[in-house]
Amino acid sequence: MSWLERANTVLGVVGFIITIITLVKVQSVQRAQSEERALLRRLYGTESLAGHLRSAAGFLRQGEQDARNLAEELVRMCGQIEGISRALDSMNRMRGSGTGEQRMIRLVERGYYTPAFYSRVVNDAQSNADFLMYRNLQISNVDMLQAMERAAKRGVSIRILAISSASSDSVLEQASMVLPWPQVPPETLRRQLTESEERVKNVVAAWPDRARRNFEYRGYVITPNMHFARMDGLVMQGFVGTLSPAQPDQLEDRGYVELPRDREPGATLSRHFDELWAQSASSVVVAG
């Protein structure tokens, strides 16, 4: 036998083996698919329903009374099939709506406008960090100002809106009613606002040019009724204008929600900030 004949023989054997293996794999896949279809039929009860319907059809030939019984049985079977369909549709809707709602709103139960909250907004921001607040004590803190400087150096735009020390007595009196601990009378609040504004001015004046260009602070002179922060595409809002006695005893216990900036109600809060920012152009504390 020549080498060519031997080679043909070997190739023929190899081809036969490959064919056998392919057939085995195909049969295995078909068996798995068949088992999967059988399992689905058992899960959804279609086999049982089909059996009942076939049985009911046999009674149809046996007389008038049996025909009426068959009609009732068929109605029951149809109701069962429709019930299964409605249940499956309901599960899909619940799954879909739950996922969407989780994407839209996230509840955070603690830590609203605490030092850790400020730090998170400033340190995590990629493009902008906006604060709308009542009292400006925390932003005049040295550690917070250093964190803001670092963020501004890396290109984050920081804008702050707080009650202006130039506000009327009636505005400060209203603010004193909604401020959390420590509560102070209007005249004390004016002094605190003034001191904090001066501290922020002095510290920011020593920043490098790049950081100063990315920082601006304005005071608003209308009655305070909103309190939230924006970080990139996120709005974080806690209680709005509640009287001080209604607020949690501990600041750390204040909860808040996180809202997408481009969808309601986050979009409305964002527009509120932008409108108030424009109205406060004459009350600039630190210019960018």
Side-chain angles (χ1 to χ4, degrees), residues 14 19 37 66 126 128 139 161 180 219 223-224 244 248 262 274 276:
V14 171
T19 301
R37 288 193 294 270
D66 291 332
Q126 299 298 315
N128 72 278
I139 63 166
L161 274 170
T223 302
S244 182
D262 59 348
D274 296 337
L276 187 57

Side-chain angles (χ1 to χ4, degrees), residues 129-175:
D130 300 330
F131 295 95
L132 174 56
M133 63 186 70
Y134 302 154
R135 187 163 39 194
N136 57 5
L137 295 182
Q138 292 211 47
I139 63 166
S140 64
N141 177 278
V142 174
D143 292 337
M144 181 51 55
L145 286 170
Q146 288 178 342
M148 289 183 177
E149 179 184 2
R150 291 192 296 269
K153 282 181 179 178
R154 68 173 189 269
V156 176
S157 172
I158 301 173
R159 296 190 298 175
I160 295 171
L161 274 170
I163 298 174
S164 172
S165 60
S167 297
S168 65
D169 292 341
S170 61
V171 168
L172 296 181
E173 184 176 0
Q174 178 67 27

Side-chain angles (χ1 to χ4, degrees), residues 21-61:
I21 294 174
T22 301
L23 287 174
V24 170
K25 288 185 176 181
V26 169
Q27 290 177 351
S28 176
V29 171
Q30 290 176 340
R31 189 183 308 111
Q33 292 175 340
S34 177
E35 292 174 353
E36 182 179 2
R37 288 193 294 270
L39 177 60
L40 288 174
R41 286 195 296 270
R42 288 196 299 271
L43 288 174
Y44 293 131
T46 55
E47 286 186 344
S48 175
L49 293 176
H52 285 299
L53 290 174
R54 283 194 297 269
S55 175
F59 287 109
L60 187 61
R61 305 184 183 93

Side-chain angles (χ1 to χ4, degrees), residues 87-232:
L88 291 174
D89 291 341
S90 176
M91 289 174 63
N92 290 333
R93 286 195 299 269
M94 290 175 64
R95 187 180 298 113
S97 63
T99 302
E101 189 171 342
Q102 289 175 2
R103 284 197 302 265
M104 289 177 60
I105 298 177
R106 174 175 176 260
L107 172 63
V108 181
E109 295 185 355
R110 293 171 54 85
Y112 181 61
Y113 261 73
T114 61
F117 177 91
Y118 280 97
S119 296
R120 177 205 165 191
V121 173
V122 172
N123 294 329
D124 292 353
Q126 299 298 315
S127 61
N128 72 278
D130 300 330
F131 295 95
L132 174 56
M133 63 186 70
Y134 302 154
R135 187 163 39 194
N136 57 5
L137 295 182
Q138 292 211 47
I139 63 166
S140 64
N141 177 278
V142 174
D143 292 337
M144 181 51 55
L145 286 170
Q146 288 178 342
M148 289 183 177
E149 179 184 2
R150 291 192 296 269
K153 282 181 179 178
R154 68 173 189 269
V156 176
S157 172
I158 301 173
R159 296 190 298 175
I160 295 171
L161 274 170
I163 298 174
S164 172
S165 60
S167 297
S168 65
D169 292 341
S170 61
V171 168
L172 296 181
E173 184 176 0
Q174 178 67 27
S176 66
M177 296 175 63
V178 298
L179 284 173
W181 180 91
Q183 286 183 272
V184 295
E187 58 274 15
T188 302
L189 176 59
R190 189 186 300 280
R191 177 178 54 79
Q192 290 179 344
L193 293 171
T194 301
E195 292 174 352
S196 293
E197 288 173 355
E198 290 300 319
R199 188 178 302 114
V200 173
K201 285 181 185 178
N202 294 334
V203 172
V204 174
W207 289 3
D209 290 343
R210 174 176 173 79
R212 287 202 307 271
R213 287 195 298 270
N214 288 322
F215 181 88
E216 189 164 359
Y217 172 16
R218 297 180 182 181
Y220 64 87
V221 295
I222 65 173
T223 302
N225 60 0
M226 286 286 175
H227 197 282
F228 61 88
R230 295 193 307 188
M231 178 182 68
D232 302 333

Side-chain angles (χ1 to χ4, degrees), residues 250-272:
Q250 301 296 322
L251 299 184
E252 291 78 7
D253 292 336
R254 295 183 296 188
Y256 62 98
V257 292
E258 295 183 347
L259 309 165
R261 180 173 175 172
D262 59 348
R263 302 181 64 176
E264 296 296 351
T268 295
L269 294 175
S270 288
R271 289 193 297 270
H272 176 80

